[in-house]
Amino acid sequence: MLSRYEKHQLEQIERWLQEDDPELARDLREGLPGFGWRLGRRLSWTFLVMAVLSFFLGIMVSNGAAVLFGMIGVGAAVGLLGFLGGRLGPPPVS
């Protein structure tokens, strides 16, 4: 929890930023445009499926590079999905 002094300082910084660079203040308040959480999740799941397929295909044809790529890809995709929070809906608005 912020003290009164800290809240006052943050309000001063916000006012100064609004006066000095209103466009940056708007971007910080609204969030910078991105590719969207739905597209990010869809790409993550697609990458995960491709990595799993590569892993199993590598095992079937005894190709170590495909198995390694699949293992690294699965780890990266799971990490990205974890970073996105595994949300089933849009990110929470604070």
Side-chain angles (χ1 to χ4, degrees):
M1 180 135 210
L2 298 175
S3 68
R4 285 187 195 188
Y5 176 73
E6 291 169 332
K7 288 179 185 178
H8 179 68
Q9 291 294 332
L10 286 174
E11 289 171 0
Q12 282 184 331
I13 292 170
E14 186 177 346
R15 276 194 301 270
W16 172 80
L17 186 60
Q18 183 65 35
E19 293 169 1
D20 190 53
D21 193 351
E23 189 174 319
L24 176 62
R26 186 197 71 233
D27 287 344
L28 290 174
R29 184 175 50 254
E30 296 174 2
L32 296 175
F35 57 86
W37 64 272
R38 286 186 181 153
L39 179 60
R41 285 197 47 223
R42 189 170 297 140
L43 289 175
S44 299
W45 279 106
T46 303
F47 186 67
L48 178 64
V49 168
M50 291 175 59
V52 168
L53 288 175
S54 172
F55 177 74
F56 285 117
L57 184 63
I59 289 175
M60 287 177 14
V61 297
S62 298
N63 185 338
V67 172
L68 181 63
F69 173 75
M71 290 170 56
I72 292 171
V74 167
V78 168
L80 185 57
L81 284 169
F83 175 73
L84 292 174
R87 291 186 283 264
L88 297 175
V93 178
S94 54

